[in-house]
Amino acid sequence: MIPGAFEYHRPESVDAAVKLLAELGEDSRVIAGGHSLIPMMKLRMADMSHLIDLQKIGDLKGIRVDGGTVTIGAMTTQHELIENAALQDAAPIMREAALQIADPQVRYVGTIGGNVANGDPGNDMPGLMQCLDATFTLVGPDGERQVAARDFYEAAYFTARTDEEILTAISFTAPKGGYAYEKQKRKIGDYATAAAAVLLSKDGDRCSAASIAMTNLSDTPVYSADAGAALTGSPLDDQAIKTAVAAALNDIEPAEDNRGPVAFKIHVAGVILRRAIERAWSRA
Amino acid sequence: MAKTHLKMTVNGQEVETLAEPRELLIHVLRERLGIKGPHIGCETSHCGACTVDMDGKSVKSCTVFAAQAEGADITTVEGLGDPDNLHVLQEMFREHHGLQCGFCTPGMIIRAHRLLLENPNPSEEDVRFGMAGNLCRCTGYQNIVKAILAAAAEMNAAKEAAQ
């Protein structure tokens, strides 16, 4: 389990990292926590001549809640998301999801930036970011640009980020109302068989707004506008939930793997989404 | 590939060594520095036998490159106690038979050390959740959990007695 040889770089600013990435070209990669990349390098499924470690870049760290907007630096770890009181107040769904990622050791090191930028359909944060309608900040040689999480994912491991860009931050408006991140996995540390992120607002006894996204049920995260629309304006009764679940299942395209055949995954997705909707509604 | 000069603090001592950037921290600790407490179990980030404390975090040293650890402050099980002067966690693992073959034990103990620093009064559920990154293939979890809860109680009693 020895990876191929590489040269190691530890820049101390985003500018320096972007410059290195441009100079060293396509044989270089940035590394955040490394808990997706290093296992791939050990299996020699990823190979590069230069590794650019982002650990010393202070600007990439930290959580800011400012006037209802949450901004999280890309190098913020899952553990830091879990421990942050301001984030727990502003967006408790972040902690609920982060606690279901991997195991304690991995959460100390794994970052939100790596989780969303990697493009692995098994990662939990991309679906949650789509549910929150988050925005990603990318910095490259031509400066900074923003991409909506809902437009970021193109296929497994392919995203709107170009090779010369670094994902530096995510931001979203602090959600109101009820929330739930529900995940079915075979064991601690596993990726989801199916997972669902749900945000619901309540006005009187009706649902006034709904956002639904799902994880590991397609080669990208799945934001289901139709599922949200099925709940919006409804009294959130059994019929509305059935319609929303049917709409979401229509948007997913799970593939058979060691977590089960397609029919099983569709079944699990339906169960998990219903649980997430009911829990979010109970908190709305 | 050229070796680079690495400087780290391991168990309170500054150490220097040469290593290729691609070498894993677990290999540097065991093979270059002779620190054999952290074990190589699965080598795939799952089992936690290689867990060390690095800059105040429990990390799997099979999933950290040597180069990433440059400048880090690392504690392994050797840094907690020695045979004549066991750490409370080591005492309690012995007392409650928190090991069978013992292979996972160094990782369990160094992880439990960080867990108790962060949460000195854990419930049984807190311990099970907090130890979820460490596997015991003998499946001796009951006594591992008992040992950690007993260590927490001992440490709290000692703190109270000191006040």
Side-chain angles (χ1 to χ4, degrees):
Chain A
M1 301 286 281
I2 309 290
F6 56 83
E7 267 184 59
Y8 175 82
H9 309 266
R10 196 188 282 190
E12 298 193 358
S13 71
V14 173
D15 282 352
V18 167
K19 217 172 140 205
L20 265 176
L21 203 49
E23 271 169 26
L24 300 170
E26 57 185 42
D27 253 5
S28 62
R29 282 279 295 270
V30 299
I31 182 167
H35 275 45
S36 298
L37 184 58
I38 294 174
M40 296 300 276
M41 291 173 70
K42 284 161 70 178
L43 293 167
R44 305 249 176 168
M45 290 168 78
D47 195 20
M48 69 278 313
S49 310
H50 299 274
L51 205 54
I52 303 170
D53 187 348
L54 304 180
Q55 67 166 290
K56 265 281 175 285
I57 306 179
D59 287 349
L60 294 180
K61 290 183 186 148
I63 298 168
R64 215 169 58 237
V65 181
D66 189 5
T69 300
V70 179
T71 307
I72 304 175
M75 287 296 283
T76 306
T77 65
Q78 310 292 354
H79 182 77
E80 288 162 349
L81 297 179
I82 291 166
E83 296 290 310
N84 190 280
L87 182 63
Q88 172 63 7
D89 279 349
I93 194 170
M94 291 293 291
R95 181 171 194 271
E96 181 158 293
L99 279 168
Q100 297 180 66
I101 294 173
D103 63 42
Q105 283 94 321
V106 177
R107 290 193 294 267
Y108 277 111
V109 182
T111 65
I112 187 162
N115 199 284
V116 301
N118 189 27
D120 185 334
N123 287 143
D124 290 284
M125 286 295 172
L128 176 52
M129 292 300 114
Q130 293 197 339
C131 180
L132 286 161
D133 199 12
T135 301
F136 301 154
T137 302
L138 304 170
V139 177
D142 302 326
E144 185 178 303
R145 67 185 179 114
Q146 317 281 328
V147 179
R150 291 177 189 172
D151 299 328
F152 187 72
Y153 298 95
E154 295 166 355
Y157 303 103
F158 286 91
T159 67
R161 186 185 64 81
T162 66
D163 286 347
E164 303 81 49
E165 288 177 312
I166 295 173
L167 191 150
T168 56
I170 65 145
S171 62
F172 55 85
T173 304
K176 296 191 172 73
Y179 66 92
Y181 191 79
E182 189 82 29
K183 178 176 178 179
Q184 167 70 48
K185 54 188 175 183
R186 297 173 302 176
K187 62 176 219 16
I188 288 273
D190 194 19
Y191 291 123
T193 304
V198 174
L199 292 167
L200 297 176
S201 297
K202 196 175 189 175
D203 185 9
D205 51 11
R206 292 201 168 249
C207 172
S208 56
S211 180
I212 291 174
M214 304 198 74
T215 294
N216 217 12
L217 292 161
S218 196
D219 66 351
T220 62
V222 176
Y223 169 69
S224 178
D226 288 349
L231 297 180
T232 306
S234 82
L236 231 287
D237 54 1
D238 188 57
Q239 189 51 49
I241 296 177
K242 275 188 181 143
T243 311
V245 169
L249 296 188
N250 197 42
D251 286 341
I252 63 174
E253 267 184 277
E256 177 171 343
D257 61 16
N258 54 9
R259 292 181 188 87
V262 170
F264 173 69
K265 290 192 172 182
I266 292 173
H267 174 74
V268 175
V271 172
I272 290 300
L273 179 54
R274 170 174 281 271
R275 280 186 199 165
I277 292 171
E278 288 174 348
R279 196 141 51 91
W281 189 240
S282 75
R283 290 162 163 174
Chain B
M1 189 60 58
K3 287 183 176 152
T4 56
H5 192 234
L6 284 182
K7 233 185 189 177
M8 313 181 258
T9 304
V10 181
N11 297 326
Q13 299 215 301
E14 277 208 8
V15 295
E16 294 183 38
T17 185
L18 286 174
E20 283 188 55
R22 64 171 169 167
E23 283 180 48
L24 300 168
L25 178 58
I26 184 71
H27 294 146
V28 172
L29 289 172
R30 290 179 59 86
E31 289 159 26
R32 297 204 181 272
L33 302 174
I35 295 167
K36 302 284 177 77
H39 288 167
I40 299 173
C42 69
E43 231 186 323
T44 56
S45 333
H46 288 99
C47 78
C50 65
T51 299
V52 302
D53 202 75
M54 178 167 152
D55 295 330
K57 302 179 283 197
S58 303
V59 305
K60 295 179 180 176
S61 61
C62 78
T63 313
V64 176
F65 287 126
Q68 291 176 290
E70 156 71 28
D73 187 357
I74 291 163
T75 307
T76 68
V77 71
E78 287 94 336
L80 291 187
D82 60 58
D84 300 325
N85 187 19
L86 292 181
H87 185 272
V88 181
L89 271 162
Q90 293 169 314
E91 282 282 5
M92 291 301 109
F93 267 68
R94 184 168 73 176
E95 177 87 16
H96 293 272
H97 202 62
L99 62 149
Q100 288 176 33
C101 81
F103 193 83
C104 70
T105 313
M108 289 280 178
I109 287 178
I110 200 74
R111 168 58 196 143
H113 168 65
R114 178 55 49 190
L115 174 66
L116 294 185
L117 285 177
E118 289 184 356
N119 181 1
N121 288 296
S123 65
E124 181 182 334
E125 201 192 333
D126 293 337
V127 171
R128 288 183 184 275
F129 192 75
M131 297 300 296
N134 294 73
L135 302 181
C136 166
R137 295 318 290 169
C138 310
T139 68
Y141 294 107
Q142 294 291 353
N143 287 352
I144 291 169
V145 172
K146 254 191 231 167
I148 295 169
L149 288 168
E154 285 277 324
M155 288 157 105
N156 290 333
K159 246 184 267 167
E160 244 171 66
Q163 274 165 11

